[in-house]
Amino acid sequence: MLNDQLRRVLQQMPKAELHIHIEGSLEPELIFALAERNGVKLAYGSVEELRAAYAFTDLQSFLDIYYAGASVLLQEQDFYDMTAAYLKRAEEDNVRHTEIFFDPQTHTARGVDIKVVIDGIYRACQDSPVSATLILCFLRHLSEEDAIATLEAALPYRDKFIGVGLDSSEVGNPPEKFANVFARCHALGLHLVAHAGEEGPPAYIYTALDTLKVERIDHGVRCLEDKALTERLAREKMALTVCPLSNIKLCVFDKMEQHNILELLDAGIVATVNSDDPAYFGGYMNDNFIATFEALPLGLSHAQTLARNGFSAAFLPAEKKQQYLDEVDAFFAKI
Ligand code: ADE
Ligand code: ZN
């Protein structure tokens, strides 16, 4: 059981969130409100019916519902409202800085202009007191040509996103499928991340590192199956953006007591805690921290390490990063 002091620390400590899909923050109530506003017909009759469908067996069973939920997003204001709602929740959880993933292909495939997507999300970031930057994700179940076309369409808005990522159905869509588009993004000076080792094997983590040249691995929890890889990630201080509640909901681990985040930390890996798709997986940042600390033998020093890791792994200027790290240390010094 979590004592009151540790619970309060987890809630109040300053945090960075580095793995949040903005479309995964769409709460059922907002999905229904936007569906009504835009005249979109949903396959579910009510908020309760939709929520009842959130019983996932693996990543794909989630993605099918997640893409259906995103179908209500049509106007710039819809993207704004979704992002503003997430940032408000993040602020309540004492998130100081967040790097938000968005999936343009989910929207452009439905005829929504990429400008509408980026402008709406970006404007909400500008209006929030939380520091927020954007990472454009390519859907890996689609072709590399589609990713290249998406990058080209996004380039007029290059100043509004800091990096690119790779998400969607992992198994069967290895990182190397996107070698050319990532090389182009690297040349453009964009930050690079990719989902790897969530459901996919350690081999995908190797190719994300060696072929795509990513700077962080999203999830990466399967790295522990390969000792040399585990040692390399620790040696290279390659951060993993771990999403504990997501891993349970998508059956990567049967229950939180079996989650390997403590082993990752003990192996010297820069593991971070993140919410992934908080509206679908039962919680935002604080819920993730609390569920993890309730199930595993983690204490105050782990809380400080995890809070520090979030800022250390962020794509922030060195000076800004140091300010946040000092803020974390000052918070823990007062306990
Ligand atoms: N898109 C949204 N959430 C995802 C996840 N956990 N893995 C892969 N793609 C995603
Ligand atoms: Zn993710």
Side-chain angles (χ1 to χ4, degrees):
M1 258 316 282
L2 205 52
N3 69 46
D4 287 348
Q5 184 206 31
L6 185 51
R7 181 182 297 270
R8 253 196 324 276
V9 165
L10 295 173
Q11 287 165 340
Q12 293 173 2
M13 67 186 188
K15 299 167 191 80
E17 174 146 61
L18 306 177
H19 186 156
I20 156 79
H21 301 264
I22 199 61
E23 294 88 351
S25 75
L26 257 187
E27 292 287 348
E29 290 77 6
L30 189 52
I31 290 178
F32 272 82
L34 294 178
E36 183 154 54
R37 188 156 99 188
N38 290 328
V40 174
K41 186 103 188 69
L42 290 168
Y44 302 90
S46 68
V47 164
E48 293 68 37
E49 212 182 293
L50 176 57
R51 248 204 195 96
Y54 293 0
F56 313 117
T57 49
D58 58 10
L59 176 57
Q60 194 59 51
S61 66
F62 154 69
L63 289 171
D64 293 342
I65 288 186
Y66 161 85
Y67 294 131
S71 70
V72 299
L73 296 159
L74 292 176
Q75 311 292 332
E76 197 250 20
Q77 191 62 41
D78 306 336
F79 291 92
Y80 181 96
D81 291 347
M82 167 177 68
T83 309
Y86 159 68
L87 287 166
K88 185 162 171 294
R89 278 299 282 106
E91 188 187 358
E92 287 165 12
D93 282 6
N94 292 302
V95 172
R96 298 276 189 279
H97 174 71
T98 177
E99 298 179 1
I100 299 176
F101 295 151
F102 68 107
D103 288 342
Q105 289 154 295
T106 299
H107 315 298
T108 53
R110 297 180 289 110
V112 178
D113 194 324
I114 196 165
K115 176 178 171 25
V116 165
V117 178
I118 295 178
D119 280 356
I121 299 172
Y122 185 79
R123 186 162 63 86
C125 293
Q126 296 292 96
D127 287 351
S128 171
V130 179
S131 158
T133 53
L134 301 180
I135 296 178
L136 181 160
C137 286
F138 302 117
L139 297 180
R140 69 202 303 160
H141 67 274
L142 301 178
S143 68
E144 187 179 47
E145 289 68 40
D146 208 306
I148 291 169
T150 301
L151 175 65
E152 293 301 331
L155 281 184
Y157 318 103
R158 164 71 183 84
D159 57 321
K160 296 197 167 92
F161 57 100
I162 61 158
V164 298
L166 188 62
D167 64 3
S168 193
S169 320
E170 185 183 5
V171 175
N173 296 296
E176 55 271 31
K177 178 176 164 187
F178 296 89
N180 296 305
V181 70
F182 268 66
R184 171 119 166 79
C185 291
H186 186 58
L188 287 163
L190 288 158
H191 286 293
L192 309 176
V193 298
H195 284 52
E198 178 186 17
E199 285 189 344
Y204 285 22
I205 303 178
Y206 277 109
T207 50
L209 295 172
D210 295 329
T211 307
L212 301 190
K213 311 241 177 286
V214 299
E215 299 160 79
R216 292 195 301 246
I217 298 284
D218 295 316
H219 294 293
V221 291
R222 286 193 60 190
C223 71
L224 289 184
E225 294 168 27
D226 184 318
K227 191 161 179 294
L229 176 60
T230 304
E231 288 170 1
R232 175 177 172 188
L233 293 170
R235 191 171 59 246
E236 296 181 1
K237 297 189 171 40
M238 180 60 57
L240 303 188
T241 62
V242 177
C243 306
L245 282 172
S246 163
N247 291 155
I248 306 310
K249 293 288 166 162
L250 301 188
C251 309
V252 173
F253 300 96
D254 289 339
K255 45 189 173 131
M256 196 62 94
E257 285 73 11
Q258 287 164 1
H259 200 285
N260 67 8
I261 191 161
L262 180 52
E263 278 115 295
L264 295 171
L265 290 172
D266 285 344
I269 287 177
V270 183
T272 65
V273 169
N274 307 272
S275 71
D276 206 7
D277 300 283
Y280 292 90
F281 299 150
Y284 289 78
M285 279 293 267
N286 287 358
D287 303 307
N288 271 275
F289 274 102
I290 289 169
T292 307
F293 277 65
E294 268 178 342
L296 296 169
L298 294 159
L300 273 178
S301 68
H302 298 104
Q304 185 167 4
T305 299
L306 288 165
R308 292 186 110 262
N309 286 353
F311 292 109
S312 298
F315 297 137
L316 282 168
E319 202 174 299
K320 195 80 207 142
K321 196 179 277 203
Q322 193 57 51
Q323 273 176 21
Y324 285 122
L325 290 170
D326 291 346
E327 201 189 322
V328 171
D329 291 345
F331 175 88
F332 280 90
K334 274 198 248 134
I335 291 164

